[in-house]
Amino acid sequence: DEERLADGAGAGAGAGAGGAVRRCAAEEEEEDLQGAYVRGQQLAAAEKVLPQEQVTYRAILQENSAVMAKEMTTRRFTGDTLGYVTPWGAAGYEEAKRFAAKFTYVAPVWYQVDHGLEAGSTLRGGHDVDQGWIQAVRKENGAVKLAPRFLWDQWTGGHYSRFLSSEGLMRAVAQEIAAEVRSQGYDGAVLDFGYLNTRAARKQFKFLIATIYDALQVVGGELILVVPPYVEGEGEQLFGADEFESLKSVVDRFQIMSYDYVAPDGRPAANAPLSWMMQTVFNILPPAERKPENARKLMLGMNFYGKDYSFGGTNTILGSDYLQILEKHKPDIEWLEEEAEHKIVYHKAGSEHILYYPSLLSVQRRIELAQQLGVGLAIWELSQGLPYFLALY
C-alpha cells in the first residue's frame, strides 16, 4: 500500500506527466463544438497583434510586450481563471497586479506541508507571505480571490500511509491550514498532492479533503484540489469520473495538471496536445454526462513554459530563454495543427534541439477549448510566459 500511495506523489502543480491519446477519442465532440467560438475575433490580443499560424521570430521579438492598456483590464474569457505566482518567478508578482482584472483566483506558491507531523507545526513557507503585494492585487481587482498553494512536499508512501491512517493528524493539518487562511485573510487554499495514487486509501483521502473543506468553510475559504491528468494505457486512472463524483461535494474547484505530456515512445512531443487536453476533461466528465455545474468545477492547467529536447536531455524553457534563442538562432517557426502548438528546430554545439513553446495562437486555442467545454483555466505560471499571452484572457 505504501508503494501505491507513493506513486508519483509530490510532483507539484508545476510538474506533470501525460500519455498518448488517440485523436479520434475527441473528434466527435470537437466537430460538435466547431463554430461555437470565433477564432481571432473575441480573443485577439491587440488590434495589431493577432494570433496566427504563420509567425516569424522577428514578429515575436518585436511584439511580445505589445499590450495596450485596455487589454490589461478587459476580460474576454468567461470561465474561472487562476494564475500561479512563485517566489522564484518575481515577474509573476508584477503580472498578477498588472493583469489582476483577468483572474478569478491568484495562487501564490508559498506553503509546504511537512511530513514530520508529530513534531508540532506542519506548515513551512510562511516567510514568503507578502501582505503588501496581496493588498496591491486586491486594489486592482476587488473581486479576485487569493488562494495560496499548500504542497505536500517530498512525501513518501510511508508518510502518506501513517498520515491517512490517523484521523487526529488529518484534523490537525486541516485546522492549521484553516487557521493560516483566516489569519492571513486569504480566500481559500490550493491543495497539491502531486501524482498521489489514492486507490489504496480512497476513503481516508476523502476524509482528509472533507475535513479540510469543512475547516475552510468555517473561515469562509474555498478549496481547490490539484489532480493528475489523463494517461492513456493506464487501466485505472489516478483521477477520473469516480473520484470526481466522490469528491465534488467537498471541493470547490479541481485543477487538472494538463501539461507536460509525455509521448508513449519517449520521443520529443508537444507540451500539451489539444486533443489530449480535451480527453483529460472527458476522462472526468464524459461528453454524454457533462453538466454545466460540474464542468464549472474543473480548471484545465495551462503551461506558460516550453520544453527543449536535445541529445543531452530535456530542459524547461521560460519566456526570457525563448526570446534569447529566437534572437540568436533566428529559426523558422512551424505550426502543428493536430497538437495546436508551434515548434522550432535549431542547432547548438553540434546538437539538434527541438523546442515547443506557447504562442498567441496556441494559447488562444486552449482558451477556446475551455470556453467550449465550460471549464476554467489555471496558468502555471505567470512569470514564465510572454506578456501578450495574458491579453487573450
Side-chain angles (χ1 to χ4, degrees), residues 242-261:
D242 291 343
E243 287 74 23
F244 176 81
E245 283 297 320
S246 173
L247 294 171
K248 69 179 184 181
S249 64
V250 291
V251 173
D252 294 291
R253 298 290 184 273
F254 296 85
Q255 189 251 293
I256 311 168
M257 292 189 282
S258 47
Y259 27 64
D260 286 357
Y261 170 84

Side-chain angles (χ1 to χ4, degrees), residues 271-289:
N271 293 294
L274 197 66
S275 58
W276 172 70
M277 295 183 75
M278 183 181 288
Q279 186 59 42
T280 288
V281 173
F282 293 165
N283 173 61
I284 298 171
L285 297 176
E289 303 171 18

Side-chain angles (χ1 to χ4, degrees), residues 10-29:
V21 57
R22 290 185 295 271
R23 185 166 176 76
C24 61
E27 282 179 350
E28 260 186 36
E29 175 85 1

Side-chain angles (χ1 to χ4, degrees), residues 197-209:
N197 184 344
T198 61
R199 296 171 195 157
R202 281 179 173 169
K203 289 183 179 179
Q204 295 93 324
F205 186 69
K206 182 176 182 179
F207 177 87
L208 169 64
I209 301 303

Side-chain angles (χ1 to χ4, degrees), residues 172-224:
V173 168
Q175 289 303 317
E176 191 165 3
I177 290 174
E180 186 71 6
V181 168
R182 181 183 62 248
S183 67
Q184 298 289 357
Y186 300 141
D187 301 292
V190 177
L191 307 183
D192 188 352
F193 300 89
Y195 286 78
L196 176 63
N197 184 344
T198 61
R199 296 171 195 157
R202 281 179 173 169
K203 289 183 179 179
Q204 295 93 324
F205 186 69
K206 182 176 182 179
F207 177 87
L208 169 64
I209 301 303
T211 302
I212 298 175
Y213 176 81
D214 289 343
L216 288 173
Q217 287 285 294
V218 172
V219 299
E222 295 185 27
L223 189 154
I224 301 170

